[in-house]
Amino acid sequence: MDTSQVKSLLNQHKLKATPSRLALYHYVHDFGSAVPYSNIQDEFKDLDRVTLYRTLNAMCDKGLMHRASVGDDEVHYAVCAHSCTTTEHHHDHVHFKCDDCERLYCVPTKGLSTIELDGYEVREIQIQLSGVCKGCRG
Amino acid sequence: MDTSQVKSLLNQHKLKATPSRLALYHYVHDFGSAVPYSNIQDEFKDLDRVTLYRTLNAMCDKGLMHRASVGDDEVHYAVCAHSCTTTEHHHDHVHFKCDDCERLYCVPTKGLSTIELDGYEVREIQIQLSGVCKGCRG
DNA sequence: TATTAAACGCAACAGTGTTGCAGTAAAAAT
DNA sequence: ATTTTTACTGCAACACTGTTGCGTTTAATA
């Protein structure tokens, strides 16, 4: 993704395009799957941890990224799809954790099968799957 | 639940039936839904936090309780159903968070609808729902 | 009742979340 | 291009949770 594109993306969301932010966005964007927080830390260890914390929060608040986690695993970060860049997050996807490579993927799904629970009024669904991902199968 | 029952339940799992443990199990068992960690803390604030930590871990390890959480919320604890008291945890249930009373329920489901993802081999499914619970509907 | 194995409380350290504040850099206005 | 405004950054600091070690106490059992 082009740096000027990222810059205007940030500006559109009233975020200043500082070098760290550009780098952070690129890093998460290009990672190929949701990024474990510890990876981000390692990659940006020169950045103050409070700044990192605030930057991630800001990007999540503004809809540029979202948090994803499976079970007790550490939090992961992933860039939002096009549909999320508006004010509201629309996450028609499930989180898939590969037992093999341990990567966490955001896999889009078209209209999650609604789940009926007797007596409960279901409004939102979050699904986390695990198994073996595309890359790790033959 | 009878105290002597809880005692033998603990002993069956090679856990000593100390007063704190009996009380803790009763508390979580009788809560009516999964218990937020902070509630447990408040209820057992005379207990050393490390002891509480180890006790909860022990009970989860031995299959007497399990952890449940939805989104970024704090961890909740719930007693396991009968099927879990063996060595393996069998959780044929979803976690339902009520937007109204904010309680987190473990709702049993018979055979979760399998989800097909092109290219991925799905082995486990975790589902978290939110909406309005039985009690909060008219 | 004596023995043994487990649990308890305390001290201590690491990691993360969170806030306030003063210095700095990006964006907008002139 | 320079100034002004706005927001980001880094540092200090505090709270909370996770985690381990260790010596003492208590439950289970012989």
Side-chain angles (χ1 to χ4, degrees):
Chain A
M1 198 170 174
D2 193 347
T3 294
S4 64
Q5 268 183 281
V6 179
K7 184 181 170 181
S8 58
L9 187 59
L10 285 165
N11 287 341
Q12 277 165 35
H13 292 272
K14 314 202 172 165
L15 294 175
K16 289 188 178 174
T18 65
S20 330
R21 290 183 171 182
L22 292 171
L24 179 63
Y25 189 89
H26 272 117
Y27 180 65
V28 176
H29 180 271
D30 298 344
F31 195 81
S33 56
V35 190
Y37 177 62
S38 57
N39 283 46
I40 299 181
Q41 271 190 142
D42 290 350
E43 187 73 18
F44 293 90
K45 48 178 167 296
D46 292 339
L47 200 61
D48 186 82
R49 74 183 193 85
V50 177
T51 300
L52 186 54
Y53 159 76
R54 285 199 253 236
T55 301
L56 289 169
N57 273 4
M59 293 206 181
C60 287
D61 287 349
K62 297 295 168 59
L64 293 177
M65 295 186 182
H66 67 271
R67 273 175 263 267
S69 46
V70 165
D72 294 341
D73 272 21
E74 74 184 300
V75 178
H76 288 57
Y77 290 88
V79 296
C80 286
H82 331 286
S83 52
C84 290
T85 44
T86 51
T87 2
E88 295 213 356
H89 282 251
H90 297 292
H91 286 155
D92 274 356
H93 71 258
V94 299
H95 291 150
F96 184 95
K97 176 73 181 287
C98 180
D99 295 331
D100 204 347
C101 66
E102 301 200 317
R103 275 181 177 251
L104 178 62
Y105 298 90
C106 297
V107 186
T109 54
K110 42 228 155 199
L112 295 174
S113 50
T114 315
I115 295 179
E116 296 282 336
L117 278 193
D118 45 321
Y120 295 84
E121 182 189 327
V122 178
R123 288 185 181 155
E124 276 202 43
I125 309 181
Q126 259 183 67
I127 299 182
Q128 291 143 221
L129 307 171
S130 60
V132 187
C133 76
K134 293 185 181 183
C136 290
R137 299 175 69 185
Chain B
M1 197 168 174
D2 194 347
T3 295
S4 64
Q5 268 183 281
V6 179
K7 184 182 170 181
S8 58
L9 187 60
L10 286 164
N11 287 340
Q12 277 165 34
H13 291 273
K14 314 202 171 162
L15 295 174
K16 289 188 180 177
T18 65
S20 330
R21 288 181 172 184
L22 291 172
L24 179 63
Y25 189 89
H26 272 118
Y27 180 65
V28 175
H29 180 270
D30 298 344
F31 195 79
S33 57
V35 191
Y37 178 64
S38 56
N39 284 45
I40 299 181
Q41 270 190 143
D42 290 349
E43 187 73 19
F44 294 89
K45 48 179 168 293
D46 293 339
L47 200 62
D48 186 83
R49 74 184 192 88
V50 177
T51 300
L52 187 55
Y53 159 75
R54 285 199 253 237
T55 301
L56 288 169
N57 272 3
M59 293 206 183
C60 287
D61 287 349
K62 297 296 168 59
L64 293 177
M65 296 186 183
H66 68 271
R67 274 175 263 266
S69 46
V70 164
D72 293 341
D73 272 20
E74 73 184 301
V75 178
H76 289 56
Y77 289 88
V79 296
C80 286
H82 329 287
S83 52
C84 289
T85 45
T86 52
T87 3
E88 293 213 355
H89 283 251
H90 296 293
H91 287 156
D92 273 357
H93 70 259
V94 299
H95 291 149
F96 184 96
K97 176 74 180 288
C98 179
D99 294 332
D100 203 346
C101 66
E102 301 199 317
R103 277 181 175 250
L104 178 62
Y105 298 90
C106 297
V107 186
T109 55
K110 41 229 157 196
L112 295 174
S113 50
T114 315
I115 294 178
E116 297 283 335
L117 278 193
D118 45 320
Y120 294 85
E121 181 189 328
V122 178
R123 287 186 182 157
E124 275 201 45
I125 309 180
Q126 260 182 67
I127 299 182
Q128 291 143 220
L129 307 171
S130 60
V132 187
C133 76
K134 293 185 181 182
C136 291
R137 300 175 69 185

